[in-house]
Amino acid sequence: MDAKQLIIDGKTYLGIEFGSTRIKAIMIDEKGTVLASGSHEWENQFENGVWTYSLDAVWGGVQDCYSDLLKDVKEKYGVTVKKYASIGFSAMMHGYLAFDKDDNLLVPFRTWRNTITEEASTKLTEAFNYNIPQRWSIAHLYQAILNKEPHCKDIAYFTTLAGYVHWQLTGEKVLGVGDASGMYPIDIKTGDFDENMIKTFDELVKGEGFSWNLRGISPKVLSAGECAGVLTKEGAKKLDVSGELEEGIMLAPPEGDAGTGMTATNSVGVRTGNVSAGTSIFAMVVLEKELSKVYPEIDLVTTPDGALVGMVHCNNCTSDINAWVNLFDEVSEALGNKVDKNTLYTTLFNIAMKGDPDCGGLISYNYFSGEPVTGFDAGAPMFVRKAEDSFTLPNFMRMHIYSALAALKHGLDLMFKEEGVKCDEMFGHGGLFKTPKVGQSIAAAAMNTSVSVMETAGEGGPWGMALLALFADYKKANADATLQDFLNSSIFGGNKGTKIAPEKDAVEGFDKFMDKYMRGLEAEKAALKM
């Protein structure tokens, strides 16, 4: 059946993801082929000391994104979209959206980007004996309680951004397990929130006299493939302002961007992992067993079907590279020889491959903002060299790519070297991997693990969410299918990517760079006092 007929018959699948700077929609067929897309650019606001998005921006943004998708469908196929086989919504994980019994938002949405919950994060990590990062929903909730914020007594429900959107469109207060694992800890055996930690939290706040308990204000946790409700009549109108979309469409469990990234890179199986490298960078490895102790640098989350994942998340990645490329762009313009920006990036990245394995002794810190993995609440980008170091353009560019991966490597080394975690293959996606082989080969050296980049890597989280919507429909006829089996057999079977193994000299060079990098963190601390 051709794409036009699939769309008319409602046999397509829709994934929409709320990213930090863009809301994107992807429509696919039953093989995962992208048929149409739409997007909407948006930005968070810093208001009263909090990074936030307004609910008006959420709905105006998703409506514009969906309208853009419909426009793409109309231009390509000349038809109107009335139904889908299944829909799914995903969003940046963590954060805090709290509502009262009348469904009113109690305080502005507090996003993952906020670092205002250090006290709560520290106390909960100690109480749970489980790493609770500042951006997790439970840290935001407990910090509000510690701050004696008046709204806490009125909480009837709290959730993530994806959970909120899903609830408004279906009436269902549910969350996919991957996104739920960024609210507070999951018990891998039950696939639900950890009951012992719920009891511990309720005990911690017992003296506050709240009428609620943690379980009662939390979403129900679902696994990939389960039906998470259907689109209501009101929900259809809220998404599609044209009024063409029909009610009754099945929705997949709402997920976080970590889970959709794992799905989009086929890294949901044990001993697989993926690294997403853009403005920020994070890497996830599906674990064979729990870690032996708590590491503040390692978050424990889950795949969309509930397998344990070790995750290292760093705030900084490509911003400093972009700043230097912009400087070179200014030089080319000043010389009257303006170069296409993509050509400039490609040229400079390829030049980096000619640099020394240890970057000739050059060191840089790409800290546009704080970097908790290495212990920084604030940052200052910095380039450092000694007079005897080899200051060449290849070493300079190679150093900046190393720096983009350095904090991540520090966290991953705890898993690989301290805990003996095994990862057979990492899948790379994001801007750092755009130039063929460069970021990929350097990432392989950083992690001492083969790194693959799939042909579909550019599709990203919205495509991963569309695949999860497809999997929910697939499960109706294939009840025993696992997410890994589905991805292997139905989606990635014929997909050819490029795989690069780590080179010994590069691995040793990166380790040498890291030794100097870690010792030089004292200089970064000093720079912050300037």
Side-chain angles (χ1 to χ4, degrees), residues 176-215:
V177 64
D179 204 11
S181 70
M183 288 193 72
Y184 58 94
I186 295 292
D187 181 343
I188 300 302
K189 299 180 184 69
T190 65
D192 198 356
F193 289 123
D194 190 296
E195 198 61 42
N196 289 329
M197 295 186 200
I198 289 176
K199 291 175 182 175
T200 298
F201 184 87
D202 287 339
E203 191 66 27
L204 280 175
V205 303
K206 185 170 63 175
E208 302 292 336
F210 298 136
S211 60
W212 53 263
N213 57 45
L214 184 57
R215 172 68 75 176

Side-chain angles (χ1 to χ4, degrees), residues 346-361:
T346 301
T347 301
L348 291 170
F349 265 57
N350 284 322
I351 284 173
M353 297 304 291
K354 299 176 183 177
D356 298 325
D358 68 345
C359 307

Side-chain angles (χ1 to χ4, degrees), residues 11 22 67 101 104 110 182 203 236 272 307 353 364 383 430-431 489:
K11 293 181 178 179
R22 184 173 64 160
S67 295
K101 61 181 176 59
N104 297 307
R110 297 170 182 177
E203 191 66 27
T272 65
M353 297 304 291
S364 75
F383 164 49
S489 62

Side-chain angles (χ1 to χ4, degrees), residues 40-174:
H40 170 83
E41 305 292 326
W42 72 337
E43 288 288 347
N44 51 194
Q45 281 76 48
F46 191 65
E47 297 177 355
N48 301 315
V50 173
W51 288 106
T52 187
Y53 300 86
S54 70
L55 296 191
D56 285 344
V58 169
W59 293 111
V62 75
Q63 288 166 359
D64 183 59
C65 172
Y66 186 72
S67 295
D68 195 42
L69 172 90
L70 296 183
K71 180 182 176 184
D72 192 35
V73 171
K74 195 75 172 178
E75 289 175 353
K76 287 179 176 175
Y77 310 105
V79 296
T80 301
V81 182
K82 296 182 179 294
K83 55 187 177 180
Y84 300 90
S86 183
I87 299 174
F89 291 88
S90 54
M92 55 194 119
M93 289 174 67
H94 319 297
Y96 181 71
L97 282 154
F99 301 86
D100 65 15
K101 61 181 176 59
D102 297 317
D103 300 341
N104 297 307
L105 184 68
L106 290 167
V107 290
F109 171 32
R110 297 170 182 177
T111 77
W112 65 272
R113 191 178 182 185
N114 291 286
T115 52
I116 54 177
T117 64
E118 184 177 4
E119 182 185 5
S121 171
T122 301
K123 288 183 175 179
L124 289 176
T125 296
E126 183 178 347
F128 291 166
N129 191 31
Y130 197 101
N131 185 31
I132 305 296
Q134 286 200 50
R135 62 186 180 278
W136 281 28
S137 306
I138 193 74
H140 281 281
L141 172 61
Y142 192 42
Q143 190 65 56
I145 294 169
L146 292 174
N147 293 345
K148 303 295 182 182
E149 295 186 34
H151 82 269
C152 294
K153 69 180 185 306
D154 299 319
I155 298 172
Y157 182 52
F158 85 127
T159 188
T160 65
L161 178 56
Y164 163 70
V165 172
H166 183 97
W167 167 40
Q168 294 298 299
L169 297 181
T170 65
E172 301 289 340
K173 294 180 177 180
V174 300

